[in-house]
Each structure stands twice: as C-alpha cells, then as structure tokens.
Amino acid sequence: MEFFAFFTPDGLQLETSTAIIVIALMFMYTFVGVCAGFGGGLTTMPLITLLLPVKMAAPMSVIVGTATALYATWLSRKETDWKSAAVLIAFSLLGIPVGLYALSYLPDHIMKVGLGAFLIIYSFYSLFIPRLPVYDKRWIAAPMGAVAGALGAAFSTNGPPVVIYGMLRNLGPAAFRGTLNAFFTANNIAIIGGLVTGGILTISTIKLVMFCIPTMILGSIVGQYVHKRIPVSVFRIMVFILLIASGAMLIKGATGASALLVLGPVFAVLVLAQVLFGKKVAAIRAQEELRKASMVKE
C-alpha cells in the first residue's frame, strides 16, 4: 500500500525492516530526554543516520524536537529571559542557511563524519569540563546563536552552543530552561521552513514521524519511570558514553575503517582522561552542587 511506503529525499524506497527499526529507535528519543533531561536528539540522530540519509534523519529529529519545545516553552514562559532568547534566535537565522547548504550539497559520508566528530568532542567536553567561567555579557548570544542555527539545520543538534551560552552567563535554573526552550521553538520552526522551501522535508519523512508517535509516547512513560529510580548523574554518564560510541560508529560507517581502529583510540583517550582528571572533576562538581544547594536554602 502506498501509505506504508517511505522514500528518501533522493527517491529511494526504504525497506520495511528499516522503517520498523527507525520507528523502534524513536523510543529512545523521548526515553533519554525525559529520563536524563537532555540528549534525546543527540543519542537518537547518530543511530538513525546509520539507517537513513542525514537528509531524512535530521528533519525527523527537528519535527519531534519542535513539538517537545513548544510544550516546554508554554510551561516556562514566565521565567524566560526573552531579550536573550530574541538575540539568540535572530543570529541563529544567519546560521541556518549555512547548515541547510551543508545538508543539501555535502556528501552524506562527510556529514556523518562531521556529526560523529561533533558528538565525540561534545561528550568529552561534558564529561571533563566541570564548569565554565562566568562571562555575563549579552553579546555572546550572537556567535552562539549563529553556531546553534547552523548545527540545528545540518544535524538537528542546536542544543550544545545554547547550553554553553546559558552556563557562561550563569543564568538561574528557571531562566536557563525557559530561554533555551524559547530558542529551540523559534529556531526549529525556522529550520522546518528552510527544510520545506529547500525540498528536503518530504511527505515520507512526515509520515514516518507520525508512525513513530506510539513508540515515543511509550518512551516518555518508561523514561519517567526510570527517572525516579536511577540517579540522573549516573544516567547522564551512560548517555555520554553512548554518544561517544555512536559518534565513533558514524565515522566508521562513513570512512569504511574497522571498528577497532575507530573505537580503540577514542575509548583509550576516555579511560586516560578519567584516570587523570576524573576525581578532580567529580570533586569540583560536588562543591558546585553544595554551593547551589546552599543558595537555594538562603
């Protein structure tokens, strides 16, 4: 039946087994996002790009992320730093065409190598940089917004630059969450507009997202259940290790290198970094948590 047929933007029909695996993988999107509070798109995108072209995987993630961000923005609208969000959004519009150009014209294997390298670097940063220095200047929204726009359009990974922006400005938890959600909503809507006008977002991609709704609902329910029973800090470490492995496997698939050649050096560096810096990073983060807890009490 035509309704159950899915085609890539290049016109190739997906095998039924591939579509089923993608639908099942979207369980992870909401499961990780609800359980860890972040990382749904980051963990799901590399796995889906092993099965689909980036031109199809990225729009899927953007659509799902937009729906999630819209709801979150409404809930946190009173705490949002709208001035910062507006600057981030405005400059992200400059980055979006760059990302869309890369998505449209760069070969798929180059895009996957770029995404894999980005995931590995971001994961190492998140694991071993305990905190950023405070630099409370509004102008940094300009470069961070532009980079986020480009990454969001190309890979549906616009979160890391905006998270770094919030940390540099030392925004309070409520303002941090509200500002990020407002940015994600507006930025994703602009990206979807670019995907539509560029002919990258297709009916098949939209249909595939619709078929993923049941597994995503199940993922959110299971994620909420696990969230109450496992320390978030432990789960976050597991997510970043998965991101490192996924990034390495993306590079493997794109370059044709052996798994040992790609995974070996990456995890050797991970173990070495943990031995050299793990205890120091953990101690700094513990002090930071105590400081935040004392501020809340006051």
Side-chain angles (χ1 to χ4, degrees):
M1 294 176 63
E2 184 67 23
F3 183 74
F4 296 98
F6 304 101
F7 297 89
T8 70
D10 297 322
L12 300 176
Q13 184 170 355
L14 295 181
E15 295 183 4
T16 303
S17 59
T18 300
I20 291 173
I21 294 172
V22 170
I23 291 170
L25 281 174
M26 289 304 286
F27 167 92
M28 182 181 294
Y29 193 108
T30 49
F31 170 75
V32 173
V34 170
C35 190
F38 78 108
L42 286 173
T43 52
T44 308
M45 261 290 288
L47 297 176
I48 291 180
T49 52
L50 294 173
L51 301 166
L52 302 177
V54 177
K55 287 181 182 180
M56 194 170 190
M60 282 187 66
S61 185
V62 171
I63 293 171
V64 174
T66 303
T68 304
L70 273 169
Y71 178 66
T73 300
W74 173 256
L75 293 179
S76 57
R77 63 191 183 282
K78 293 182 180 179
E79 296 86 9
T80 300
D81 181 349
W82 289 104
K83 289 185 178 179
S84 295
V87 176
L88 285 167
I89 293 165
F91 279 90
S92 74
L93 299 179
L94 300 178
I96 288 174
V98 177
L100 290 175
Y101 180 86
L103 189 61
S104 299
Y105 296 107
L106 288 183
D108 203 61
H109 69 277
I110 292 179
M111 294 293 287
K112 289 182 178 180
V113 169
L115 177 58
F118 172 77
L119 290 175
I120 292 171
I121 293 170
Y122 176 67
S123 298
F124 270 90
Y125 150 77
S126 300
L127 287 170
F128 297 107
I129 302 298
R131 64 187 178 207
L132 289 173
V134 175
Y135 190 73
D136 193 10
K137 303 293 183 181
R138 288 187 181 275
W139 70 264
I140 62 174
M144 290 301 180
V147 173
L151 289 174
F155 301 121
S156 185
T157 54
N158 54 4
V162 189
V163 170
I164 293 172
Y165 165 79
M167 294 172 66
L168 284 171
R169 291 208 54 211
N170 198 30
L171 297 177
F176 186 95
R177 182 173 57 253
T179 303
L180 264 61
N181 286 330
F183 169 79
F184 292 148
T185 298
N187 185 242
N188 284 354
I189 290 173
I191 290 172
I192 290 175
L195 293 172
V196 172
T197 56
I200 301 171
L201 180 59
T202 64
I203 296 298
S204 284
T205 301
I206 296 173
K207 284 197 304 182
L208 193 53
V209 171
M210 292 172 60
F211 275 88
C212 292
I213 291 174
T215 54
M216 291 170 61
I217 293 174
L218 179 62
S220 65
I221 295 172
V222 176
Q224 185 64 29
Y225 177 85
V226 174
H227 173 75
K228 297 177 180 179
R229 290 163 177 79
I230 184 173
V232 174
S233 58
V234 173
F235 192 78
R236 288 189 174 208
I237 292 173
M238 294 167 58
V239 168
F240 285 123
I241 291 174
L242 173 62
L243 288 178
I244 291 171
S246 298
M249 291 305 293
L250 273 177
I251 295 173
K252 170 197 173 298
T255 61
S258 68
L260 181 61
L261 183 62
V262 177
L263 289 171
V266 171
F267 277 95
V269 173
L270 178 63
V271 172
L272 180 62
Q274 177 61 32
V275 171
L276 294 176
F277 308 112
K279 290 184 178 179
K280 183 176 181 179
V281 170
I284 294 174
R285 285 180 174 161
Q287 292 176 358
E288 190 71 10
E289 290 299 321
L290 287 174
R291 184 184 67 82
K292 289 180 180 178
S294 63
M295 289 175 62
V296 171
K297 291 179 180 179
E298 293 174 358

